[in-house]
Amino acid sequence: MLRRLHAPVLLNTFFALGLSLTPSAARQTVSERFDLRGKVINAATGEPVSGALVQVSDQESLFTQSDGSFVFTNLPRGQVALAARKPGFFNDRELGHSNPGMFPMTPVPFEGDAIVKLTPEGIIFGQVKNENGEPMDEVAVRAERWQVLDGRRQLQIATETRTDDEGNFRLAELLPGNYYLAFVPVDGGMRNDFRRKKQGAEGYGLQFYPGSPDVAGAIVLQVRPGTQLRMSQMFGRQHLFEVAGIVSGTKPEDPFQISFVSSSGDAVMRNLRLNPKTGRFQITGVPPGSYMLTATSFQRGSDGQVSYSQPLTAMLPIHVSSDLSGLVLSLGAGISAAVQLRDEVQGNASPNNFHQVVVRMIPKEFPQYAPAISVPPSPDASRAPVRIEGLAPGTYSVEATSTGAGYIASLRCGSVDLLKDDLTIAPGSAPPPIEVILRNDSPQLTVALENGMAAGVVIYSQEYSRRSLAAQIYNGTISISGPNLAPGIYQVFAVNDVSELEFRNPIAVERYLKHAKVVSLQPGDNASVRVMIQQSAESQQ
Amino acid sequence: MTVLIFALILFPACANVPQAPAAYPIAGVVVDAVTGAPVPRVELWTFVKNAEMKIIAGEDGRFRFTALEAGKYPLYGQAQGYVQEGYDQHGAFFTGIVVGAGLDSEHLVFRLHPQAVIHGRITDEHGDAVRHASVRLFASSNARGMRARGVQLQTQTDDLGEYRFAHLLAGKYYLAVQAQPWYAQAGLKWRNASMQNGSSFRRIEVKLDPTLDVVYPVTFYPGVLNERSAIELNVTAGSREEANIQLQAVPSVHVILTNLPVDEKDANNFGVGANQKIFGSFAAVFPAVSGQISPGEYEIAGLPPGEITFTINQGANPQEARMFSANVSEDNTLDVAASTAALANVSGRVIQQSGNADMQEAELTITGKDNRSASTKLRKDGTFSFASVQAGTYKPYIALPQGGQYVQQVAASGAKVHGRQVTLDGSHEAQLTITLARGVGQLMGTAQLDGKPKAGAMVLLVPESGENIEDDSRMDQSDSDGTFALREILPGKYRLMAIDDGWDLEWANPAVLKPFRENAQIFEIVPDGSTKATVNVQRSTKNTPR
């Protein structure tokens, strides 16, 4: 196992040391040379790995022998960074275990064999069949996993492939973890069997293993290092439905288009019929589920040319469990919300210090359709409020980010504190203006680790969980200040691995709060706190 | 009938035509093209008013579309283990089904071809699987009347090094693999020695690890580097061919390009690419690494030895790219100025013989070898200019927003003209006069065999003069009632012939076409004219089994 160094050795210091050992400099030191022997082994089985490429501090490289061994000769005394790689394996860096800027070093000379571990990849393979037992080809197969991005858990696609003509698929290079398998027939598989009495359309829509239309009913596949899972997916035919309606508010000469996207991000475009003159549309072969229907029209300017910069949009989230008709997408008649910025940033009001805030309205079910607006849009724009247009009724979480100096001191819509709560827009209503207050009297917080040099630190806000922050400490301490740190009361704690922690979710952080330090930060404060590193429950080992 | 690719999504503008009763069927049986046995549960589809109509045939292979209006319909079929194809499809053509009073559209025999599969494993010199190798399948086809090999499919190997191409028609195929050794690290070998005063430069060689400075050359089945030694895979319907290829790593070649024109304003305004031409049609691009050694001198590394085409891009205009080829074996130094063909300016005027189309939105393109092309918009008076065109032979094409006109004649000073081609030698400026004419013609009719309409015949129209065969010939496949349509024919004299099962003929070859020309009719196609013809189908002397 590589020895981790606890003395603060910085990587650049090492390289300076390494490069300065030119022959002339060596005359000044004892020109001892050493061999470095080692072995590359499979982290799951302990077996040797042959044919792996081992590199010493980005200089020399060797392939391991059939017994996994390697020997670097003629190395000077000091420290080297030893790394190995081979297709079909992940090394420490690829697993995300070693932090950039802090590389485990191996001392030269080294007692015994230096062991380098490689973690074998996970593989999921199998076959997709329909209800008649016939193989299905051209089905997209995705391995998806929950990943924490910016404190929020999102389902991300790890890797994707398609079934071949025999219905077979293979997904390789999977990191150890928990996965869901999603199957999406590419052509929708819609068939109209004219000999049937009932003229219902049937076909195949997206399915998660073993047969659920959404991730809630899906079964998790645990992929451990070196696992090869064989799966068999049977597709059942579903009833497919028809969605029809009209797009209003377009002029016949303005081009417009419709998009129809499921909550998993797949577009159902194959059976879309659109009449550009009347605005009527009809989409057939739709599997049950949640979808976002969007119409976009590009208007002609006064010069008669079509302008692509100011499109009119209308969005309508719908749930399909039967045929739907009479839907109306009203371009330009959606709900609009005004956004006002109160800039209370003090000092430094030079033209170079442009204070701007980006406000995003994130629909609960379709986070990928979040309209955003910059306030003010440009340095010389007027101070009048700007508007987000074309919003559909529904529930939104509203986020504001400062693009430069300052932090978001307050974000409100009427009586709703948007830093804490979601905004619900009822049909036909007009929400009060969204008010953003920007300040720069941000406090500064220094966090020091009591029992280590490297850890993830979470600065958690109970009141405004969205104000919670996470950062990585490499050298024992870190200093955090604006624009992201707002005044308030925080609970500070450290964990050895913060990458999988939903630090904005009160349930996820609860277990760590017992040993967190509470700190109250007033505007302009300069505070410091020491914390112990706790073992994180989420890290995959 | 030529093939429609996918459904359009717009309703057509409603025409005020009295609706014929929708009462006609398309029916028949789907059989295996090799065994003749019925194929069960085939998916069949057609398009009715641009909307897709799909049905499933029965266990006995029988199918029936009902309630269709009189007209012409495309028919497609697909089943597991078979190629997806149109009815009696040959390349881009198939037989359209014509339905209506007095026409028999109920006894179709849809011959579906069992798919062939080519699969295999790509390994390295140790016998280990090569992942993410790009495997390209080249099919030998006869699209423009000449044997040509073009890329049909491309895929990547998986973690086992395996690839698979399915749904293939019988035919001759070639395989080419492009990959990088997983351990390879491309690096630049030459560094600039002088940094201080910047006036004198000396090249210093950087020592690279020879274990890592390696590449895989483009390798052809069964494992050769020269495409002339590539072995063809002769695949029959329903067969499974295994084709494995082993790759061998070789030291990477580092090429120094000297004598590049220096951009005073922006030294970074430079890009160099390298590719290898495969089978005369495809350019396999290398992920090469390049960097400046000194002004006017560049190194490009990560290349395999062989015949490489370099593309030098200086300036924002991609049309000002210069190309040249060289055979590189070890580290070479290539003088770019000496290797690239000279550049010259080309200018001229486009004249309309008749009509007053607004020239301002028109675009003139000159296309040369290697698909190299340059385009420019015309000025209001029809004049144009191209800067820095590389010497070579080009064909001009005109694109007008309202269409309807074509290049009829080309005249030049400072360049040689042959037909509608102009050859630039790059040593002096060339002036072109391009004359447009309007009005293309069409020729419709019926193909007959022994006095009865013949479906599925190859109908071919070639210029009588034998010139511009590639551009001016027109082809169609007769539909179920024997009818065919040839459109957008440039005015002139042509020979019309119909050949039964002539799809494998190299008809661009005058010697091959000679026996059929003798029995062909001669037509004069006039601008905006529509000619009707009845053509007798000649039997092809070559009976190629499919």
Side-chain angles (χ1 to χ4, degrees):
Chain A
M1 193 57 207
L2 296 167
R3 288 186 193 160
R4 286 175 180 265
L5 296 165
H6 292 290
V9 172
L10 294 170
L11 199 59
N12 10 353
T13 309
F14 159 72
F15 274 136
L17 189 69
L19 285 173
S20 70
L21 284 175
T22 52
S24 52
R27 267 186 252 121
Q28 298 160 20
T29 63
V30 180
S31 54
E32 278 178 293
R33 296 287 161 160
F34 303 93
D35 285 354
L36 177 62
R37 285 172 196 284
K39 258 199 157 92
V40 177
I41 63 169
N42 181 320
T45 64
E47 306 260 305
V49 179
S50 65
L53 185 72
V54 190
Q55 280 185 295
V56 161
S57 300
D58 295 336
Q59 288 175 42
E60 268 195 73
S61 39
L62 289 174
F63 287 101
T64 55
Q65 304 294 314
S66 50
D67 61 351
S69 65
F70 60 87
V71 181
F72 287 100
T73 55
N74 221 19
L75 293 177
R77 185 183 289 275
Q79 316 257 2
V80 293
L82 197 55
R85 61 189 173 97
K86 188 180 178 184
F89 293 90
F90 298 108
N91 58 26
D92 268 356
R93 192 181 50 82
E94 287 158 337
L95 287 174
H97 285 170
S98 84
N99 297 313
M102 171 70 193
F103 200 91
M105 300 299 214
T106 308
V108 172
F110 188 83
E111 278 291 317
D113 278 345
I115 304 292
V116 183
K117 283 193 186 167
L118 286 179
T119 304
E121 66 186 335
I123 296 179
I124 299 177
F125 67 102
Q127 195 180 27
V128 180
K129 295 190 183 152
N130 65 15
E131 68 281 0
N132 293 328
E134 294 162 336
M136 290 178 72
D137 70 345
E138 290 300 308
V139 175
V141 185
R142 300 188 195 134
E144 301 186 12
R145 56 197 294 230
W146 290 109
Q147 277 191 304
V148 176
L149 288 176
D150 201 29
R152 225 180 281 117
R153 228 166 60 120
Q154 289 176 35
L155 204 54
Q156 300 279 313
I157 299 174
T159 182
E160 183 169 358
T161 187
R162 278 210 190 170
T163 54
D164 65 16
D165 59 297
E166 289 181 341
N168 293 319
F169 68 90
R170 255 185 107 79
L171 293 163
E173 285 161 27
L174 293 169
L175 287 162
N178 293 331
Y179 292 87
Y180 298 95
L181 272 189
F183 298 88
V184 189
V186 171
D187 68 346
M190 192 187 102
R191 302 157 177 224
N192 272 322
D193 202 339
F194 272 64
R195 290 165 308 157
R196 288 205 184 176
K197 288 276 155 60
K198 184 167 63 113
Q199 287 262 334
E202 284 193 334
Y204 308 102
L206 170 136
Q207 276 186 17
F208 281 89
Y209 176 82
S212 162
D214 55 37
V215 73
I219 288 184
V220 154
L221 299 171
Q222 246 192 340
V223 173
R224 295 212 180 79
T227 311
Q228 298 212 2
L229 287 176
R230 189 198 194 112
M231 313 301 314
S232 200
Q233 176 77 357
M234 183 92 101
F235 253 89
R237 271 207 219 171
Q238 299 168 290
H239 270 300
L240 301 179
F241 301 106
E242 189 180 284
V243 171
I246 190 168
V247 177
S248 72
T250 74
K251 299 196 212 63
E253 63 272 11
D254 290 346
F256 75 98
Q257 64 201 36
I258 285 197
S259 83
F260 190 62
V261 179
S262 72
S263 51
S264 65
D266 302 293
V268 180
M269 286 303 291
R270 194 169 135 98
N271 300 310
L272 169 64
R273 286 150 77 175
L274 182 60
N275 186 329
K277 289 214 179 75
T278 63
R280 290 203 173 276
F281 64 87
Q282 186 186 28
I283 306 164
T284 49
V286 180
S290 299
Y291 298 88
M292 178 66 92
L293 190 54
T294 314
T296 314
S297 168
F298 301 102
Q299 300 172 290
R300 278 184 203 276
S302 46
D303 57 353
Q305 296 289 20
V306 174
S307 150
Y308 290 99
S309 57
Q310 299 265 359
L312 284 177
T313 55
M315 299 205 302
L316 188 63
I318 56 174
H319 297 277
V320 175
S321 53
S322 63
D323 286 340
L324 293 176
S325 61
L327 299 173
V328 179
L329 284 164
S330 300
L331 288 169
I335 297 169
S336 77
V339 181
Q340 277 171 327
L341 170 66
R342 225 165 73 196
D343 186 345
E344 295 182 3
V345 173
Q346 290 170 358
N348 281 12
S350 65
N352 291 338
N353 255 337
F354 173 45
H355 305 150
Q356 186 188 51
V357 163
V358 175
V359 175
R360 295 175 69 217
M361 308 274 296
I362 308 172
K364 279 305 238 200
E365 263 180 322
F366 292 92
Q368 65 265 45
Y369 286 95
I373 200 162
S374 303
V375 183
S378 60
D380 44 350
S382 72
R383 289 275 161 180
V386 290
R387 309 188 78 87
I388 300 184
E389 306 276 1
L391 293 169
T395 307
Y396 294 83
S397 80
V398 183
E399 289 192 356
T401 335
S402 161
T403 60
Y407 65 90
I408 308 296
S410 162
L411 185 67
R412 302 187 74 87
C413 179
S415 61
V416 181
D417 183 349
L418 297 173
L419 291 174
K420 273 205 272 211
D421 300 317
D422 292 332
L423 179 65
T424 302
I425 302 181
S429 71
I434 296 173
E435 291 174 336
V436 190
I437 301 181
L438 195 64
R439 289 205 190 112
N440 68 338
D441 51 359
S442 166
Q444 179 161 335
L445 177 66
T446 305
V447 183
L449 297 173
E450 279 199 337
N451 58 338
M453 294 305 297
V457 64
V458 174
I459 298 157
Y460 178 71
S461 164
Q462 189 107 25
E463 196 188 8
Y464 295 114
S465 58
R466 289 201 202 127
R467 278 196 175 151
S468 308
L469 301 170
Q472 186 68 28
I473 299 184
Y474 297 112
N475 292 320
T477 68
I478 196 167
S479 252
I480 299 171
S481 61
N484 293 318
L485 187 62
I489 299 174
Y490 294 94
Q491 291 162 286
V492 185
F493 62 89
V495 282
N496 61 337
D497 185 2
V498 77
S499 60
E500 296 283 317
L501 177 60
E502 285 182 83
F503 57 85
R504 294 205 175 132
N505 183 343
I507 302 168
V509 300
E510 199 185 315
R511 56 150 44 88
Y512 306 108
L513 295 179
K514 285 197 268 295
H515 301 288
K517 292 275 175 71
V518 180
V519 57
S520 170
L521 298 170
Q522 301 295 321
D525 262 2
N526 200 326
S528 53
V529 66
R530 294 178 71 82
V531 285
M532 297 276 293
I533 305 175
Q534 302 182 45
Q535 277 300 314
S536 60
E538 287 82 5
S539 49
Q540 310 281 347
Q541 279 295 356
Chain B
M1 184 179 197
T2 48
V3 66
L4 291 165
I5 308 296
F6 280 117
L8 298 172
I9 55 174
L10 299 173
F11 284 127
C14 298
N16 281 328
V17 183
Q19 297 292 339
Y24 302 99
I26 292 179
V29 64
V30 184
V31 300
D32 183 302
V34 170
T35 64
V39 182
R41 278 181 284 109
V42 172
E43 243 177 66
L44 294 144
W45 65 98
T46 184
F47 291 92
V48 180
K49 292 205 182 77
N50 286 335
E52 190 183 270
M53 184 189 286
K54 210 181 223 189
I55 63 170
I56 306 173
E59 291 293 330
D60 56 357
R62 298 214 159 265
F63 65 90
R64 193 172 192 88
F65 291 88
T66 54
L68 297 169
E69 294 174 14
K72 195 179 286 197
Y73 295 88
L75 183 62
Y76 301 94
Q78 164 179 288
Q80 211 255 333
Y82 290 86
V83 178
Q84 177 180 313
E85 49 188 322
Y87 186 78
D88 198 21
Q89 182 163 344
H90 298 99
F93 300 95
F94 59 84
T95 299
I97 314 299
V98 185
V99 305
L103 293 167
D104 178 12
S105 55
E106 291 184 80
H107 298 96
L108 300 175
V109 177
F110 196 148
R111 295 174 64 240
L112 209 57
H113 293 82
Q115 65 161 359
V117 172
I118 296 176
H119 69 106
R121 201 161 168 251
I122 310 296
T123 50
D124 65 13
E125 56 269 26
H126 304 298
D128 292 333
V130 176
R131 301 184 183 211
H132 308 302
S134 172
V135 184
R136 291 190 182 99
L137 185 73
F138 288 81
S140 193
S141 83
N142 201 23
R144 296 305 304 167
M146 297 171 292
R147 281 264 172 272
R149 282 174 289 195
V151 177
Q152 177 164 324
L153 291 170
Q154 176 180 333
T155 189
Q156 280 207 343
T157 52
D158 62 12
D159 62 295
L160 296 172
E162 292 180 353
Y163 72 90
R164 191 180 174 87
F165 293 112
H167 299 302
L168 299 175
L169 279 170
K172 296 184 183 18
Y173 295 93
Y174 295 83
L175 286 168
V177 181
Q178 195 179 359
Q180 288 80 48
W182 62 267
Y183 50 88
Q185 275 169 15
L188 296 172
K189 201 158 143 169
W190 298 103
R191 225 171 11 111
N192 190 344
S194 161
M195 305 284 200
Q196 294 90 350
N197 52 10
S199 60
S200 67
F201 296 94
R202 202 163 44 92
R203 284 188 224 142
I204 285 192
E205 188 172 339
V206 170
K207 187 155 186 330
L208 296 173
D209 189 338
T211 331
L212 307 184
D213 192 27
V214 290
V215 292
Y216 290 132
V218 174
T219 310
F220 303 89
Y221 177 75
V224 297
L225 305 184
N226 188 336
E227 66 177 51
R228 275 184 283 273
S229 313
I231 290 184
E232 75 182 15
L233 289 150
N234 210 328
V235 161
T236 52
S239 68
R240 299 255 173 299
E241 297 284 330
E242 185 174 334
N244 303 316
I245 300 174
Q246 187 174 41
L247 304 177
Q248 303 280 344
V250 297
S252 148
V253 166
H254 296 249
V255 171
I256 298 175
L257 301 171
T258 59
N259 235 338
L260 286 154
V262 177
D263 187 343
E264 300 293 330
K265 281 174 268 171
D266 186 1
N268 290 331
N269 194 7
F270 179 83
V272 62
N275 64 63
Q276 177 177 334
K277 293 279 181 294
I278 300 184
F279 297 132
S281 62
F282 183 77
V285 177
F286 296 117
V289 163
S290 65
Q292 178 175 306
I293 307 172
S294 63
E297 208 173 54
Y298 268 77
E299 177 190 342
I300 177 164
L303 300 174
E307 183 80 21
I308 311 268
T309 302
F310 294 91
T311 313
I312 319 277
N313 251 314
Q314 224 153 3
N317 192 349
Q319 291 171 21
E320 288 179 20
R322 307 160 69 169
M323 292 197 262
F324 69 96
S325 299
N327 200 314
V328 300
S329 50
E330 341 167 298
D331 293 353
N332 291 72
T333 303
L334 296 172
D335 184 334
V336 172
S339 309
T340 51
L343 300 176
N345 293 336
V346 176
S347 57
R349 189 146 180 255
V350 172
I351 302 175
Q352 296 181 71
Q353 264 190 12
S354 60
N356 260 334
D358 182 7
M359 296 290 235
Q360 198 162 8
E361 285 301 306
E363 193 168 311
L364 178 69
T365 307
I366 50 174
T367 306
K369 226 165 48 105
D370 298 338
N371 286 331
R372 194 187 316 176
S373 73
S375 292
T376 187
K377 286 226 154 55
L378 302 184
R379 294 183 206 103
K380 220 174 177 141
D381 57 359
T383 56
F384 61 86
S385 55
F386 292 98
S388 309
V389 180
Q390 225 169 324
T393 302
Y394 296 86
K395 281 188 218 173
Y397 296 94
I398 193 79
L400 290 157
Q402 60 275 58
Q405 300 204 49
Y406 60 94
V407 172
Q408 191 196 51
Q409 204 181 344
V410 179
S413 71
K416 284 205 196 61
V417 172
H418 184 80
R420 295 201 297 267
Q421 287 181 115
V422 60
T423 305
L424 308 163
D425 64 5
S427 55
H428 26 253
E429 278 212 21
Q431 300 272 354
L432 305 179
T433 306
I434 297 175
T435 310
L436 303 181
R438 69 167 334 127
V440 291
Q442 55 186 26
L443 197 156
M444 331 246 265
T446 312
Q448 282 188 352
L449 182 64
D450 302 331
K452 286 202 293 263
K454 178 89 175 83
M458 178 176 100
V459 179
L460 182 62
L461 189 77
V462 293
E464 169 68 357
S465 64
E467 295 204 341
N468 295 318
I469 288 194
E470 209 182 301
D471 281 335
D472 294 357
S473 301
R474 298 286 180 266
M475 182 151 70
D476 193 16
Q477 177 167 332
S478 58
D479 289 326
S480 63
D481 59 350
T483 56
F484 64 87
L486 300 168
R487 300 183 204 278
E488 303 212 6
I489 312 170
L490 304 192
K493 230 186 210 168
Y494 293 86
R495 279 199 190 241
L496 176 69
M497 57 204 100
I499 307 171
D500 184 25
D501 205 20
W503 303 100
D504 279 340
L505 289 175
E506 279 190 52
W507 50 264
N509 182 342
V512 168
L513 208 55
K514 186 156 179 281
F516 303 101
R517 277 177 68 105
E518 283 157 11
N519 296 327
Q521 305 164 57
I522 298 182
F523 286 93
E524 179 80 44
I525 304 293
V526 297
D528 294 323
S530 184
T531 314
K532 276 208 143 355
T534 303
V535 60
N536 287 323
V537 176
Q538 307 179 50
R539 293 214 193 272
S540 147
T541 46
K542 210 158 63 139
N543 263 342
T544 43
R546 250 182 118 218

